[in-house]
Amino acid sequence: MSALYPEIEPYDHGLLDTGDGNLIYWEACGNLAGRPVLVLHGGPGSGCSTTARRYFDPDAYRIILFDQRNCGRSLPSAADPETDLSLNTTWHLVADMERLRACLGIHTWLLFGNSWGSTLALAYAETHPERVAAIVLSGVTTTRRSEINWLYRGMAPLFPEEWHRFRQAVSPGSQERDEDMVAAYHRLLNDPDPETRLKAARGWHDWEAASILLADPQGLPRRWADPAYLLTRARIITHYFSNGAWLEDAQLLKNAARLTGIPGILLQGRFDIEAPLVTAWELARAWPQSELNILAHAAHSTANPDMSAAIVAAIDRFRDI
């Protein structure tokens, strides 16, 4: 039996005008009078999903989801090469969250973030701790340099064949090919030629698929069949990671004292290759009010039954705060 709550449809949705040419799609589900909770999707650039609505008791929670800048139903889309991403940074997203909170008349809310969403949750909570009632994170990341380097070079010995293919998209002899694959793909994903961009987007996701399929042989996310989705997601990820997510290195861990007084639950799969356990462990040590729950048979995917059940159970604990 699924640990998730039944499927639910939004009772409200809209486009939040940021005032700088961006429109942020948001939706609200569940109980208008319930405890507000904000869902922060991964990627960056993955967009919110219908499954994420089901982690929350719809009778207890006012569930707010939004597509971060230039992905999902937010406009303009990063799939369009003419879309300027210079106004899409971690701190623009933090400002969007605060603007959305004020627009919806919410005083404080619970934050739930998975993968990149955990980085964004921490960035927001350390900036606006007075607005955060509690935090639940899964697949914990802080997007420091060592984490980015692990994803796009450190994992190479685990997947030599896939790494070889990943590097083939970059010209032989290129310095990027030996030093900075994120920068190389960022350049390819912004190439004037549409076929070059699409090939790079597919190559980027093929590399990511190696670790996903190892942990979940059932298959890849269905959205990955859409070329526009691949372009959007890859272009935003490389934009963020080539800029270190506009964070000083290890900034979120160094500033974890700002989370003092906020209760949190960190859910981490023992076999999470994409976000190794060390980051969650270090965050738990730096954040005394947090609780680290290591799932013995889970990896990075929230589709894992143990992980999805743990997310639901953790969120249920905060329904009455």
Side-chain angles (χ1 to χ4, degrees), residues 41-44 113-123 137-144 147-148 151 241 247 252-253 266-268 272 274-280 283 300:
H41 65 68
N114 172 65
S115 192
W116 156 256
S118 60
T119 292
L120 184 55
L122 293 168
L137 306 179
S138 64
V140 179
T141 71
T142 64
T143 316
R144 52 186 165 168
E147 295 170 48
I148 297 172
L151 284 170
F241 289 178
L247 297 166
L252 300 179
L253 286 170
L266 313 178
L267 305 172
Q268 195 70 23
D272 190 336
E274 295 177 78
L277 175 58
V278 62
T279 297
L283 178 60
H300 195 65

PDB file of all heavy atoms in Angstrom, residues 41-44 113-123 137-144 147-148 151 241 247 252-253 266-268 272 274-280 283 300:
ATOM      1  N   HIS A  41      11.170  22.183  -5.528  1.00  0.00           N
ATOM      2  CA  HIS A  41      11.559  21.082  -6.401  1.00  0.00           C
ATOM      3  C   HIS A  41      13.055  21.079  -6.662  1.00  0.00           C
ATOM      4  O   HIS A  41      13.788  22.031  -6.361  1.00  0.00           O
ATOM      5  CB  HIS A  41      10.765  21.123  -7.701  1.00  0.00           C
ATOM      6  CG  HIS A  41      11.029  22.312  -8.575  1.00  0.00           C
ATOM      7  ND1 HIS A  41      12.237  22.516  -9.216  1.00  0.00           N
ATOM      8  CD2 HIS A  41      10.230  23.364  -8.943  1.00  0.00           C
ATOM      9  CE1 HIS A  41      12.170  23.617  -9.947  1.00  0.00           C
ATOM     10  NE2 HIS A  41      10.976  24.159  -9.782  1.00  0.00           N
ATOM     11  N   GLY A  42      13.507  19.994  -7.252  1.00  0.00           N
ATOM     12  CA  GLY A  42      14.929  19.805  -7.508  1.00  0.00           C
ATOM     13  C   GLY A  42      15.375  20.354  -8.841  1.00  0.00           C
ATOM     14  O   GLY A  42      14.709  21.134  -9.489  1.00  0.00           O
ATOM     15  N   GLY A  43      16.537  19.892  -9.264  1.00  0.00           N
ATOM     16  CA  GLY A  43      17.141  20.318 -10.524  1.00  0.00           C
ATOM     17  C   GLY A  43      18.492  20.961 -10.297  1.00  0.00           C
ATOM     18  O   GLY A  43      19.485  20.270 -10.116  1.00  0.00           O
ATOM     19  N   PRO A  44      18.556  22.297 -10.273  1.00  0.00           N
ATOM     20  CA  PRO A  44      17.469  23.249 -10.490  1.00  0.00           C
ATOM     21  C   PRO A  44      16.904  23.145 -11.907  1.00  0.00           C
ATOM     22  O   PRO A  44      17.615  22.759 -12.818  1.00  0.00           O
ATOM     23  CB  PRO A  44      18.138  24.611 -10.256  1.00  0.00           C
ATOM     24  CG  PRO A  44      19.585  24.379 -10.533  1.00  0.00           C
ATOM     25  CD  PRO A  44      19.870  22.967 -10.103  1.00  0.00           C
ATOM     26  N   GLY A 113      12.090  20.445   0.844  1.00  0.00           N
ATOM     27  CA  GLY A 113      12.926  20.500  -0.347  1.00  0.00           C
ATOM     28  C   GLY A 113      13.640  19.186  -0.582  1.00  0.00           C
ATOM     29  O   GLY A 113      14.124  18.559   0.367  1.00  0.00           O
ATOM     30  N   ASN A 114      13.693  18.780  -1.835  1.00  0.00           N
ATOM     31  CA  ASN A 114      14.412  17.565  -2.223  1.00  0.00           C
ATOM     32  C   ASN A 114      15.561  17.937  -3.158  1.00  0.00           C
ATOM     33  O   ASN A 114      15.403  18.757  -4.059  1.00  0.00           O
ATOM     34  CB  ASN A 114      13.470  16.593  -2.935  1.00  0.00           C
ATOM     35  CG  ASN A 114      14.214  15.409  -3.532  1.00  0.00           C
ATOM     36  OD1 ASN A 114      14.792  14.610  -2.809  1.00  0.00           O
ATOM     37  ND2 ASN A 114      14.218  15.312  -4.857  1.00  0.00           N
ATOM     38  N   SER A 115      16.742  17.331  -2.930  1.00  0.00           N
ATOM     39  CA  SER A 115      17.911  17.536  -3.785  1.00  0.00           C
ATOM     40  C   SER A 115      18.248  19.026  -3.874  1.00  0.00           C
ATOM     41  O   SER A 115      18.467  19.658  -2.845  1.00  0.00           O
ATOM     42  CB  SER A 115      17.653  16.901  -5.151  1.00  0.00           C
ATOM     43  OG  SER A 115      18.824  16.825  -5.920  1.00  0.00           O
ATOM     44  N   TRP A 116      18.299  19.623  -5.085  1.00  0.00           N
ATOM     45  CA  TRP A 116      18.542  21.054  -5.185  1.00  0.00           C
ATOM     46  C   TRP A 116      17.563  21.831  -4.316  1.00  0.00           C
ATOM     47  O   TRP A 116      17.910  22.871  -3.746  1.00  0.00           O
ATOM     48  CB  TRP A 116      18.438  21.536  -6.635  1.00  0.00           C
ATOM     49  CG  TRP A 116      18.106  22.992  -6.734  1.00  0.00           C
ATOM     50  CD1 TRP A 116      16.896  23.540  -7.047  1.00  0.00           C
ATOM     51  CD2 TRP A 116      18.981  24.101  -6.466  1.00  0.00           C
ATOM     52  NE1 TRP A 116      16.966  24.919  -6.996  1.00  0.00           N
ATOM     53  CE2 TRP A 116      18.232  25.279  -6.641  1.00  0.00           C
ATOM     54  CE3 TRP A 116      20.327  24.198  -6.100  1.00  0.00           C
ATOM     55  CZ2 TRP A 116      18.777  26.549  -6.461  1.00  0.00           C
ATOM     56  CZ3 TRP A 116      20.876  25.460  -5.915  1.00  0.00           C
ATOM     57  CH2 TRP A 116      20.102  26.622  -6.103  1.00  0.00           C
ATOM     58  N   GLY A 117      16.339  21.334  -4.171  1.00  0.00           N
ATOM     59  CA  GLY A 117      15.358  22.015  -3.330  1.00  0.00           C
ATOM     60  C   GLY A 117      15.817  22.160  -1.889  1.00  0.00           C
ATOM     61  O   GLY A 117      15.413  23.099  -1.191  1.00  0.00           O
ATOM     62  N   SER A 118      16.675  21.241  -1.421  1.00  0.00           N
ATOM     63  CA  SER A 118      17.197  21.375  -0.059  1.00  0.00           C
ATOM     64  C   SER A 118      18.185  22.538   0.024  1.00  0.00           C
ATOM     65  O   SER A 118      18.214  23.265   1.021  1.00  0.00           O
ATOM     66  CB  SER A 118      17.830  20.065   0.409  1.00  0.00           C
ATOM     67  OG  SER A 118      18.897  19.664  -0.420  1.00  0.00           O
ATOM     68  N   THR A 119      18.995  22.736  -1.016  1.00  0.00           N
ATOM     69  CA  THR A 119      19.875  23.905  -1.063  1.00  0.00           C
ATOM     70  C   THR A 119      19.066  25.187  -0.999  1.00  0.00           C
ATOM     71  O   THR A 119      19.367  26.107  -0.226  1.00  0.00           O
ATOM     72  CB  THR A 119      20.717  23.892  -2.352  1.00  0.00           C
ATOM     73  OG1 THR A 119      21.643  22.812  -2.311  1.00  0.00           O
ATOM     74  CG2 THR A 119      21.496  25.194  -2.510  1.00  0.00           C
ATOM     75  N   LEU A 120      18.008  25.254  -1.808  1.00  0.00           N
ATOM     76  CA  LEU A 120      17.182  26.456  -1.845  1.00  0.00           C
ATOM     77  C   LEU A 120      16.468  26.681  -0.517  1.00  0.00           C
ATOM     78  O   LEU A 120      16.357  27.829  -0.050  1.00  0.00           O
ATOM     79  CB  LEU A 120      16.178  26.359  -2.999  1.00  0.00           C
ATOM     80  CG  LEU A 120      15.291  27.575  -3.244  1.00  0.00           C
ATOM     81  CD1 LEU A 120      16.120  28.841  -3.441  1.00  0.00           C
ATOM     82  CD2 LEU A 120      14.383  27.337  -4.455  1.00  0.00           C
ATOM     83  N   ALA A 121      15.998  25.619   0.108  1.00  0.00           N
ATOM     84  CA  ALA A 121      15.348  25.744   1.417  1.00  0.00           C
ATOM     85  C   ALA A 121      16.302  26.330   2.443  1.00  0.00           C
ATOM     86  O   ALA A 121      15.937  27.213   3.236  1.00  0.00           O
ATOM     87  CB  ALA A 121      14.840  24.383   1.880  1.00  0.00           C
ATOM     88  N   LEU A 122      17.537  25.852   2.456  1.00  0.00           N
ATOM     89  CA  LEU A 122      18.526  26.354   3.399  1.00  0.00           C
ATOM     90  C   LEU A 122      18.865  27.815   3.123  1.00  0.00           C
ATOM     91  O   LEU A 122      19.007  28.625   4.050  1.00  0.00           O
ATOM     92  CB  LEU A 122      19.791  25.491   3.341  1.00  0.00           C
ATOM     93  CG  LEU A 122      19.628  24.051   3.844  1.00  0.00           C
ATOM     94  CD1 LEU A 122      20.857  23.227   3.473  1.00  0.00           C
ATOM     95  CD2 LEU A 122      19.393  24.013   5.350  1.00  0.00           C
ATOM     96  N   ALA A 123      19.012  28.163   1.843  1.00  0.00           N
ATOM     97  CA  ALA A 123      19.316  29.552   1.492  1.00  0.00           C
ATOM     98  C   ALA A 123      18.203  30.486   1.964  1.00  0.00           C
ATOM     99  O   ALA A 123      18.467  31.572   2.511  1.00  0.00           O
ATOM    100  CB  ALA A 123      19.525  29.681  -0.016  1.00  0.00           C
ATOM    101  N   LEU A 137      14.015  17.990   4.688  1.00  0.00           N
ATOM    102  CA  LEU A 137      14.858  17.897   3.499  1.00  0.00           C
ATOM    103  C   LEU A 137      15.127  16.439   3.177  1.00  0.00           C
ATOM    104  O   LEU A 137      15.328  15.624   4.083  1.00  0.00           O
ATOM    105  CB  LEU A 137      16.192  18.607   3.722  1.00  0.00           C
ATOM    106  CG  LEU A 137      16.153  20.070   4.175  1.00  0.00           C
ATOM    107  CD1 LEU A 137      17.565  20.602   4.370  1.00  0.00           C
ATOM    108  CD2 LEU A 137      15.384  20.927   3.175  1.00  0.00           C
ATOM    109  N   SER A 138      15.170  16.111   1.894  1.00  0.00           N
ATOM    110  CA  SER A 138      15.568  14.766   1.457  1.00  0.00           C
ATOM    111  C   SER A 138      16.621  14.896   0.363  1.00  0.00           C
ATOM    112  O   SER A 138      16.634  15.874  -0.386  1.00  0.00           O
ATOM    113  CB  SER A 138      14.361  13.971   0.951  1.00  0.00           C
ATOM    114  OG  SER A 138      13.788  14.571  -0.201  1.00  0.00           O
ATOM    115  N   GLY A 139      17.518  13.890   0.285  1.00  0.00           N
ATOM    116  CA  GLY A 139      18.607  13.972  -0.687  1.00  0.00           C
ATOM    117  C   GLY A 139      19.382  15.258  -0.516  1.00  0.00           C
ATOM    118  O   GLY A 139      19.534  16.047  -1.454  1.00  0.00           O
ATOM    119  N   VAL A 140      19.913  15.482   0.689  1.00  0.00           N
ATOM    120  CA  VAL A 140      20.410  16.788   1.105  1.00  0.00           C
ATOM    121  C   VAL A 140      21.619  17.246   0.285  1.00  0.00           C
ATOM    122  O   VAL A 140      22.603  16.515   0.135  1.00  0.00           O
ATOM    123  CB  VAL A 140      20.776  16.765   2.595  1.00  0.00           C
ATOM    124  CG1 VAL A 140      21.326  18.114   3.046  1.00  0.00           C
ATOM    125  CG2 VAL A 140      19.541  16.390   3.434  1.00  0.00           C
ATOM    126  N   THR A 141      21.532  18.468  -0.218  1.00  0.00           N
ATOM    127  CA  THR A 141      22.648  19.114  -0.914  1.00  0.00           C
ATOM    128  C   THR A 141      22.804  20.533  -0.389  1.00  0.00           C
ATOM    129  O   THR A 141      21.835  21.142   0.087  1.00  0.00           O
ATOM    130  CB  THR A 141      22.435  19.184  -2.435  1.00  0.00           C
ATOM    131  OG1 THR A 141      21.405  20.145  -2.728  1.00  0.00           O
ATOM    132  CG2 THR A 141      22.044  17.836  -3.009  1.00  0.00           C
ATOM    133  N   THR A 142      24.026  21.061  -0.516  1.00  0.00           N
ATOM    134  CA  THR A 142      24.269  22.477  -0.244  1.00  0.00           C
ATOM    135  C   THR A 142      24.927  23.171  -1.435  1.00  0.00           C
ATOM    136  O   THR A 142      25.233  24.346  -1.383  1.00  0.00           O
ATOM    137  CB  THR A 142      25.156  22.664   0.998  1.00  0.00           C
ATOM    138  OG1 THR A 142      26.447  22.097   0.756  1.00  0.00           O
ATOM    139  CG2 THR A 142      24.530  22.008   2.228  1.00  0.00           C
ATOM    140  N   THR A 143      25.160  22.417  -2.520  1.00  0.00           N
ATOM    141  CA  THR A 143      25.714  22.929  -3.783  1.00  0.00           C
ATOM    142  C   THR A 143      27.049  23.651  -3.570  1.00  0.00           C
ATOM    143  O   THR A 143      27.318  24.674  -4.195  1.00  0.00           O
ATOM    144  CB  THR A 143      24.681  23.813  -4.517  1.00  0.00           C
ATOM    145  OG1 THR A 143      23.401  23.179  -4.481  1.00  0.00           O
ATOM    146  CG2 THR A 143      25.042  23.980  -5.986  1.00  0.00           C
ATOM    147  N   ARG A 144      27.878  23.132  -2.693  1.00  0.00           N
ATOM    148  CA  ARG A 144      29.241  23.651  -2.582  1.00  0.00           C
ATOM    149  C   ARG A 144      30.081  23.057  -3.714  1.00  0.00           C
ATOM    150  O   ARG A 144      29.660  22.141  -4.420  1.00  0.00           O
ATOM    151  CB  ARG A 144      29.834  23.323  -1.213  1.00  0.00           C
ATOM    152  CG  ARG A 144      29.743  21.872  -0.840  1.00  0.00           C
ATOM    153  CD  ARG A 144      30.217  21.616   0.566  1.00  0.00           C
ATOM    154  NE  ARG A 144      29.780  20.285   1.004  1.00  0.00           N
ATOM    155  CZ  ARG A 144      30.231  19.696   2.097  1.00  0.00           C
ATOM    156  NH1 ARG A 144      31.118  20.301   2.863  1.00  0.00           N
ATOM    157  NH2 ARG A 144      29.771  18.507   2.438  1.00  0.00           N
ATOM    158  N   GLU A 147      30.615  19.288  -4.006  1.00  0.00           N
ATOM    159  CA  GLU A 147      29.441  18.514  -4.428  1.00  0.00           C
ATOM    160  C   GLU A 147      29.267  18.572  -5.945  1.00  0.00           C
ATOM    161  O   GLU A 147      28.934  17.572  -6.586  1.00  0.00           O
ATOM    162  CB  GLU A 147      28.194  19.033  -3.708  1.00  0.00           C
ATOM    163  CG  GLU A 147      28.233  18.831  -2.199  1.00  0.00           C
ATOM    164  CD  GLU A 147      27.108  19.564  -1.494  1.00  0.00           C
ATOM    165  OE1 GLU A 147      25.955  19.447  -1.946  1.00  0.00           O
ATOM    166  OE2 GLU A 147      27.387  20.264  -0.507  1.00  0.00           O
ATOM    167  N   ILE A 148      29.477  19.746  -6.527  1.00  0.00           N
ATOM    168  CA  ILE A 148      29.391  19.881  -7.981  1.00  0.00           C
ATOM    169  C   ILE A 148      30.495  19.067  -8.647  1.00  0.00           C
ATOM    170  O   ILE A 148      30.255  18.347  -9.628  1.00  0.00           O
ATOM    171  CB  ILE A 148      29.478  21.367  -8.386  1.00  0.00           C
ATOM    172  CG1 ILE A 148      28.286  22.154  -7.822  1.00  0.00           C
ATOM    173  CG2 ILE A 148      29.523  21.501  -9.911  1.00  0.00           C
ATOM    174  CD1 ILE A 148      28.399  23.651  -8.002  1.00  0.00           C
ATOM    175  N   LEU A 151      29.705  15.361  -8.759  1.00  0.00           N
ATOM    176  CA  LEU A 151      28.707  14.977  -9.753  1.00  0.00           C
ATOM    177  C   LEU A 151      29.286  14.897 -11.162  1.00  0.00           C
ATOM    178  O   LEU A 151      28.907  14.009 -11.939  1.00  0.00           O
ATOM    179  CB  LEU A 151      27.551  15.986  -9.745  1.00  0.00           C
ATOM    180  CG  LEU A 151      26.553  15.888  -8.592  1.00  0.00           C
ATOM    181  CD1 LEU A 151      25.631  17.107  -8.591  1.00  0.00           C
ATOM    182  CD2 LEU A 151      25.739  14.607  -8.690  1.00  0.00           C
ATOM    183  N   PHE A 241      25.272  25.673 -11.862  1.00  0.00           N
ATOM    184  CA  PHE A 241      26.478  25.005 -11.375  1.00  0.00           C
ATOM    185  C   PHE A 241      27.751  25.653 -11.904  1.00  0.00           C
ATOM    186  O   PHE A 241      28.789  25.610 -11.244  1.00  0.00           O
ATOM    187  CB  PHE A 241      26.438  23.519 -11.719  1.00  0.00           C
ATOM    188  CG  PHE A 241      25.426  22.740 -10.911  1.00  0.00           C
ATOM    189  CD1 PHE A 241      25.242  21.383 -11.134  1.00  0.00           C
ATOM    190  CD2 PHE A 241      24.644  23.347  -9.937  1.00  0.00           C
ATOM    191  CE1 PHE A 241      24.320  20.650 -10.396  1.00  0.00           C
ATOM    192  CE2 PHE A 241      23.715  22.630  -9.198  1.00  0.00           C
ATOM    193  CZ  PHE A 241      23.556  21.274  -9.430  1.00  0.00           C
ATOM    194  N   LEU A 247      26.759  31.137  -4.491  1.00  0.00           N
ATOM    195  CA  LEU A 247      27.020  30.947  -3.064  1.00  0.00           C
ATOM    196  C   LEU A 247      28.523  30.954  -2.829  1.00  0.00           C
ATOM    197  O   LEU A 247      29.275  30.384  -3.626  1.00  0.00           O
ATOM    198  CB  LEU A 247      26.453  29.597  -2.587  1.00  0.00           C
ATOM    199  CG  LEU A 247      24.942  29.391  -2.670  1.00  0.00           C
ATOM    200  CD1 LEU A 247      24.607  27.914  -2.498  1.00  0.00           C
ATOM    201  CD2 LEU A 247      24.233  30.231  -1.623  1.00  0.00           C
ATOM    202  N   LEU A 252      26.310  27.707   3.057  1.00  0.00           N
ATOM    203  CA  LEU A 252      25.121  27.272   3.796  1.00  0.00           C
ATOM    204  C   LEU A 252      25.498  26.481   5.044  1.00  0.00           C
ATOM    205  O   LEU A 252      24.801  26.551   6.059  1.00  0.00           O
ATOM    206  CB  LEU A 252      24.206  26.467   2.887  1.00  0.00           C
ATOM    207  CG  LEU A 252      23.696  27.239   1.653  1.00  0.00           C
ATOM    208  CD1 LEU A 252      22.828  26.355   0.794  1.00  0.00           C
ATOM    209  CD2 LEU A 252      22.935  28.501   2.074  1.00  0.00           C
ATOM    210  N   LEU A 253      26.581  25.730   4.978  1.00  0.00           N
ATOM    211  CA  LEU A 253      27.060  25.028   6.172  1.00  0.00           C
ATOM    212  C   LEU A 253      27.668  26.015   7.166  1.00  0.00           C
ATOM    213  O   LEU A 253      27.437  25.911   8.380  1.00  0.00           O
ATOM    214  CB  LEU A 253      28.083  23.969   5.784  1.00  0.00           C
ATOM    215  CG  LEU A 253      27.529  22.706   5.121  1.00  0.00           C
ATOM    216  CD1 LEU A 253      28.663  21.860   4.559  1.00  0.00           C
ATOM    217  CD2 LEU A 253      26.695  21.893   6.104  1.00  0.00           C
ATOM    218  N   LEU A 266      16.249  15.621   8.389  1.00  0.00           N
ATOM    219  CA  LEU A 266      17.052  15.355   7.199  1.00  0.00           C
ATOM    220  C   LEU A 266      16.927  13.885   6.859  1.00  0.00           C
ATOM    221  O   LEU A 266      17.248  13.022   7.676  1.00  0.00           O
ATOM    222  CB  LEU A 266      18.521  15.707   7.464  1.00  0.00           C
ATOM    223  CG  LEU A 266      18.799  17.063   8.124  1.00  0.00           C
ATOM    224  CD1 LEU A 266      20.294  17.244   8.368  1.00  0.00           C
ATOM    225  CD2 LEU A 266      18.240  18.199   7.280  1.00  0.00           C
ATOM    226  N   LEU A 267      16.479  13.593   5.647  1.00  0.00           N
ATOM    227  CA  LEU A 267      16.265  12.218   5.193  1.00  0.00           C
ATOM    228  C   LEU A 267      17.289  11.900   4.112  1.00  0.00           C
ATOM    229  O   LEU A 267      17.334  12.572   3.075  1.00  0.00           O
ATOM    230  CB  LEU A 267      14.848  12.065   4.639  1.00  0.00           C
ATOM    231  CG  LEU A 267      13.719  12.484   5.591  1.00  0.00           C
ATOM    232  CD1 LEU A 267      12.387  12.478   4.867  1.00  0.00           C
ATOM    233  CD2 LEU A 267      13.675  11.570   6.806  1.00  0.00           C
ATOM    234  N   GLN A 268      18.104  10.900   4.370  1.00  0.00           N
ATOM    235  CA  GLN A 268      19.195  10.615   3.442  1.00  0.00           C
ATOM    236  C   GLN A 268      19.318   9.121   3.189  1.00  0.00           C
ATOM    237  O   GLN A 268      19.389   8.320   4.128  1.00  0.00           O
ATOM    238  CB  GLN A 268      20.514  11.139   4.016  1.00  0.00           C
ATOM    239  CG  GLN A 268      21.627  11.227   3.019  1.00  0.00           C
ATOM    240  CD  GLN A 268      21.406  12.340   1.987  1.00  0.00           C
ATOM    241  OE1 GLN A 268      20.663  13.294   2.247  1.00  0.00           O
ATOM    242  NE2 GLN A 268      22.015  12.220   0.832  1.00  0.00           N
ATOM    243  N   ASP A 272      22.762   6.885  -1.652  1.00  0.00           N
ATOM    244  CA  ASP A 272      22.606   8.062  -2.501  1.00  0.00           C
ATOM    245  C   ASP A 272      23.968   8.412  -3.106  1.00  0.00           C
ATOM    246  O   ASP A 272      24.842   8.945  -2.424  1.00  0.00           O
ATOM    247  CB  ASP A 272      22.061   9.223  -1.679  1.00  0.00           C
ATOM    248  CG  ASP A 272      21.639  10.408  -2.539  1.00  0.00           C
ATOM    249  OD1 ASP A 272      22.161  10.541  -3.660  1.00  0.00           O
ATOM    250  OD2 ASP A 272      20.795  11.203  -2.085  1.00  0.00           O
ATOM    251  N   GLU A 274      24.325  10.437  -5.877  1.00  0.00           N
ATOM    252  CA  GLU A 274      24.304  11.812  -6.362  1.00  0.00           C
ATOM    253  C   GLU A 274      24.558  12.826  -5.247  1.00  0.00           C
ATOM    254  O   GLU A 274      25.177  13.866  -5.472  1.00  0.00           O
ATOM    255  CB  GLU A 274      22.969  12.100  -7.040  1.00  0.00           C
ATOM    256  CG  GLU A 274      22.735  11.285  -8.302  1.00  0.00           C
ATOM    257  CD  GLU A 274      21.375  11.555  -8.888  1.00  0.00           C
ATOM    258  OE1 GLU A 274      21.213  12.601  -9.535  1.00  0.00           O
ATOM    259  OE2 GLU A 274      20.471  10.720  -8.699  1.00  0.00           O
ATOM    260  N   ALA A 275      24.046  12.550  -4.074  1.00  0.00           N
ATOM    261  CA  ALA A 275      24.252  13.437  -2.917  1.00  0.00           C
ATOM    262  C   ALA A 275      24.758  12.584  -1.766  1.00  0.00           C
ATOM    263  O   ALA A 275      23.986  12.147  -0.912  1.00  0.00           O
ATOM    264  CB  ALA A 275      22.944  14.135  -2.545  1.00  0.00           C
ATOM    265  N   PRO A 276      26.056  12.309  -1.714  1.00  0.00           N
ATOM    266  CA  PRO A 276      26.587  11.428  -0.678  1.00  0.00           C
ATOM    267  C   PRO A 276      26.230  11.886   0.735  1.00  0.00           C
ATOM    268  O   PRO A 276      26.075  13.081   1.002  1.00  0.00           O
ATOM    269  CB  PRO A 276      28.100  11.475  -0.926  1.00  0.00           C
ATOM    270  CG  PRO A 276      28.227  11.794  -2.382  1.00  0.00           C
ATOM    271  CD  PRO A 276      27.087  12.729  -2.674  1.00  0.00           C
ATOM    272  N   LEU A 277      26.134  10.921   1.614  1.00  0.00           N
ATOM    273  CA  LEU A 277      25.661  11.128   2.984  1.00  0.00           C
ATOM    274  C   LEU A 277      26.445  12.176   3.755  1.00  0.00           C
ATOM    275  O   LEU A 277      25.915  12.819   4.671  1.00  0.00           O
ATOM    276  CB  LEU A 277      25.703   9.772   3.717  1.00  0.00           C
ATOM    277  CG  LEU A 277      25.356   9.742   5.201  1.00  0.00           C
ATOM    278  CD1 LEU A 277      23.972  10.284   5.470  1.00  0.00           C
ATOM    279  CD2 LEU A 277      25.484   8.305   5.719  1.00  0.00           C
ATOM    280  N   VAL A 278      27.693  12.404   3.406  1.00  0.00           N
ATOM    281  CA  VAL A 278      28.538  13.297   4.191  1.00  0.00           C
ATOM    282  C   VAL A 278      27.940  14.696   4.329  1.00  0.00           C
ATOM    283  O   VAL A 278      28.068  15.329   5.386  1.00  0.00           O
ATOM    284  CB  VAL A 278      29.960  13.375   3.587  1.00  0.00           C
ATOM    285  CG1 VAL A 278      29.951  13.950   2.182  1.00  0.00           C
ATOM    286  CG2 VAL A 278      30.886  14.168   4.496  1.00  0.00           C
ATOM    287  N   THR A 279      27.249  15.183   3.304  1.00  0.00           N
ATOM    288  CA  THR A 279      26.683  16.530   3.378  1.00  0.00           C
ATOM    289  C   THR A 279      25.585  16.603   4.428  1.00  0.00           C
ATOM    290  O   THR A 279      25.551  17.540   5.241  1.00  0.00           O
ATOM    291  CB  THR A 279      26.147  16.973   2.009  1.00  0.00           C
ATOM    292  OG1 THR A 279      27.237  17.030   1.081  1.00  0.00           O
ATOM    293  CG2 THR A 279      25.489  18.340   2.085  1.00  0.00           C
ATOM    294  N   ALA A 280      24.680  15.635   4.432  1.00  0.00           N
ATOM    295  CA  ALA A 280      23.618  15.610   5.438  1.00  0.00           C
ATOM    296  C   ALA A 280      24.205  15.471   6.836  1.00  0.00           C
ATOM    297  O   ALA A 280      23.731  16.095   7.794  1.00  0.00           O
ATOM    298  CB  ALA A 280      22.644  14.475   5.152  1.00  0.00           C
ATOM    299  N   LEU A 283      25.702  18.784   7.894  1.00  0.00           N
ATOM    300  CA  LEU A 283      24.640  19.746   8.193  1.00  0.00           C
ATOM    301  C   LEU A 283      23.996  19.439   9.545  1.00  0.00           C
ATOM    302  O   LEU A 283      23.728  20.350  10.337  1.00  0.00           O
ATOM    303  CB  LEU A 283      23.586  19.724   7.088  1.00  0.00           C
ATOM    304  CG  LEU A 283      22.387  20.652   7.284  1.00  0.00           C
ATOM    305  CD1 LEU A 283      22.822  22.116   7.386  1.00  0.00           C
ATOM    306  CD2 LEU A 283      21.380  20.482   6.140  1.00  0.00           C
ATOM    307  N   HIS A 300      18.884   8.326  -4.028  1.00  0.00           N
ATOM    308  CA  HIS A 300      18.538   9.736  -4.174  1.00  0.00           C
ATOM    309  C   HIS A 300      17.076   9.947  -4.548  1.00  0.00           C
ATOM    310  O   HIS A 300      16.509  11.002  -4.263  1.00  0.00           O
ATOM    311  CB  HIS A 300      19.435  10.372  -5.237  1.00  0.00           C
ATOM    312  CG  HIS A 300      19.433  11.871  -5.229  1.00  0.00           C
ATOM    313  ND1 HIS A 300      19.914  12.618  -4.171  1.00  0.00           N
ATOM    314  CD2 HIS A 300      19.005  12.779  -6.148  1.00  0.00           C
ATOM    315  CE1 HIS A 300      19.793  13.904  -4.438  1.00  0.00           C
ATOM    316  NE2 HIS A 300      19.236  14.026  -5.643  1.00  0.00           N
TER     317      HIS A 300
END
